[in-house]
Amino acid sequence: MSAMYGHADDDWLMRAHGDIDQWAAVMDVDADDRPIDWNWVRTLDLVHGVGVATVHDCDAGASSDVHDLLRRDLMIRDRLEAILTCCDRVFMTDYDRLIPSYRLPRALAHANRRLNDEINLLRDRGVAEGLWTVAYEHRERVTVPVLHAAEGAPAVDDIQDRTAELVNGRAERRKRAREQRGAGERLMVAANLEGAIAAGGAAADEGTTAASPIGSDWRDVYLPGRGLDAVMGIDIETTGTDPLRDYIIDVGFEYMNMVTPRPQDAPAGMPYVDSSYQAGDAYGQARLGFGVTRANAWHGNETIRNLTGIDVKMRSSSQWRLFDEWPQAQRGLLMRLEQQPFVAHNANFEHRFFLHNVAGYAESYRAGHIVIIDTMPMSRRWDEGSAPNEAHPYGDNSLESYAKRQGALPEDSSERHLGLEDAHIMLVAMKHHLTALREAHRGPWGPDGVSGTGGKRAKGRRW
């Protein structure tokens, strides 16, 4: 399938094989608690592709067995993604630094994206040959393609997409593990409390076990502090929501100071696609467009075209370089991400894509050089307009809704779903919100606020 993959820098993909021993020494089971066969990983051809099909196998009418090819490719993807799903946790908790580089997971993700393209084309071939039809169904946390065998065609049970089963199963296991940890912690508290009563004859002050503030959750680590000023807002558009399967096709970023004036010598930025958008306090605007593989373009993506206006069918020519194959673009973005806190709305989305696309990002983040701030928990925690209701049981915290409530987007306008434009309304909304919170002595200036820039950063090595 290498003819459809693009033009990768083969050297880094080949060097990634040399990292396998380091990972094998630390990581022995995958996300489904199965032993990892690292010898199998060594057999994978990360340069030319890990799938079993060729370019011609994806053409309707090819003599090869499309059913068998699809079955084998799906097995490879399930196996590979079970490994990749664990890599960021293992890397970030490798406090002894036995694994110095995140290159191997990036290389495996690079191969997995192209394998996913191949799977899509094999499904397309089956449809073209009248073997099955494809319908998309939402199953708890994910939407998956479901095959329906045509009348008289072979059954398709063994080539159904297992993503929902795997993802939902892993989430349930994580939930049970959290509940078990919570139960254990409560038992420890109870034991300590009994000890305090036995020793002192009275229960400890109930205030020592007070619950967390209402609305707090794991996202609170992304909240800004009261010392925040210069930030870079960033938004990416992708071909889907999974960094192990989808491509970055649009990146937009700009800078804004939350407190001090806009620098007088700040560079003039590129214009927004909508003339109603005014730069205001923003500066240093940039928009970067990227391509997809030929296989991804051949399959097409109507969902993304309708959402963003970007037609991936037009993005496989030589003028559109793939982001995961463009080291200079990755280095330039990483340099900017390290210079000041970066802000995103639902920042874990950008973070996960950067981990699996940007050379050096995981290493820099682990070392504590990257600070991430998220406007979504600002909306959840400090914006009364996001209160849960019947239509939005967890609150309406989309970027569009947050920007409208904070006066960054007119009520009759919509989020553009383009990187630069969405980064702009996000920063404008954030600045308006912080200004109001400061005047009301709430948010970062309230009792649960923090000093400094706030945001999430890795703590670095633990001794």
Side-chain angles (χ1 to χ4, degrees), residues 225 227-233 254-263 281 283 336-343 371 373 427 430-431 434 453:
L228 184 69
D229 188 18
V231 298
M232 183 181 83
E254 66 179 26
Y255 299 83
M256 188 177 289
N257 296 354
M258 296 292 112
V259 178
T260 58
R262 178 185 187 276
D281 294 330
Y283 57 95
R336 289 173 171 84
L337 294 172
E338 292 175 326
Q339 288 176 342
Q340 70 292 295
F342 83 80
V343 182
V371 179
I373 292 171
L427 287 187
M430 179 183 181
K431 185 162 186 175
L434 286 176
T453 61

Side-chain angles (χ1 to χ4, degrees), residues 274-336:
D274 190 329
S275 59
S276 67
Y277 282 44
Q278 299 299 315
D281 294 330
Y283 57 95
Q285 296 91 340
R287 185 197 313 277
L288 308 172
F290 302 101
V292 297
T293 62
R294 294 191 185 101
N296 192 277
W298 289 347
H299 176 64
N301 196 322
E302 283 300 298
T303 299
I304 295 303
R305 187 180 70 83
N306 292 335
L307 182 68
T308 68
I310 298 172
D311 187 354
V312 299
K313 291 183 178 180
M314 309 300 294
R315 293 237 171 166
S316 66
S317 65
S318 58
Q319 75 178 95
W320 296 103
R321 293 192 63 175
L322 279 82
F323 182 67
D324 65 0
E325 296 182 357
W326 196 348
Q328 294 87 348
Q330 295 169 34
R331 284 196 295 270
L333 181 59
L334 178 61
M335 179 186 68
R336 289 173 171 84

Side-chain angles (χ1 to χ4, degrees), residues 61-100:
S63 59
S64 53
D65 185 343
V66 65
H67 188 117
D68 182 61
L69 293 170
L70 180 55
R71 178 185 61 82
R72 292 162 64 191
D73 269 2
L74 286 168
M75 291 175 62
I76 294 170
R77 191 184 68 180
D78 289 348
R79 196 172 179 182
L80 194 53
E81 290 183 353
I83 296 172
L84 276 164
T85 299
C86 293
C87 286
D88 61 334
R89 175 184 56 80
V90 170
F91 186 74
M92 296 304 166
T93 56
D94 174 27
Y95 303 121
D96 293 325
R97 299 299 188 261
L98 300 176
I99 309 172

Side-chain angles (χ1 to χ4, degrees), residues 1 10 16 25 74 78 101 107 184 217 231 245 255 260 290 325 348-349 404 414:
M1 292 293 288
D10 295 350
L74 286 168
D78 289 348
S101 170
D217 66 10
V231 298
R245 299 183 184 181
Y255 299 83
T260 58
F290 302 101
E325 296 182 357
N348 195 46
F349 181 83
K404 286 180 177 179
S414 299

Side-chain angles (χ1 to χ4, degrees), residues 29-149:
V29 296
D30 65 17
D32 301 315
D33 296 324
R34 298 174 305 189
I36 297 174
D37 183 353
W38 288 104
N39 287 326
W40 172 76
V41 178
R42 289 184 177 89
T43 69
L44 298 176
D45 186 345
L46 303 181
V47 175
H48 300 102
V50 299
V52 298
T54 67
V55 173
H56 302 297
D57 287 326
C58 296
D59 293 334
S63 59
S64 53
D65 185 343
V66 65
H67 188 117
D68 182 61
L69 293 170
L70 180 55
R71 178 185 61 82
R72 292 162 64 191
D73 269 2
L74 286 168
M75 291 175 62
I76 294 170
R77 191 184 68 180
D78 289 348
R79 196 172 179 182
L80 194 53
E81 290 183 353
I83 296 172
L84 276 164
T85 299
C86 293
C87 286
D88 61 334
R89 175 184 56 80
V90 170
F91 186 74
M92 296 304 166
T93 56
D94 174 27
Y95 303 121
D96 293 325
R97 299 299 188 261
L98 300 176
I99 309 172
S101 170
Y102 205 69
R103 177 172 51 194
L104 178 62
R106 282 196 302 108
L108 295 177
H110 178 279
N112 194 70
R113 281 188 281 272
R114 287 140 182 86
L115 173 63
N116 192 64
D117 293 342
E118 183 174 305
I119 288 170
N120 285 331
L121 291 185
L122 290 172
R123 286 200 190 101
D124 293 346
R125 176 186 158 187
V127 171
E129 294 179 355
L131 297 175
W132 54 68
T133 59
V134 182
Y136 289 84
E137 297 181 7
H138 187 72
R139 297 182 176 177
E140 295 186 58
R141 297 166 179 82
V142 294
T143 299
V144 295
V146 179
L147 304 188
H148 298 278

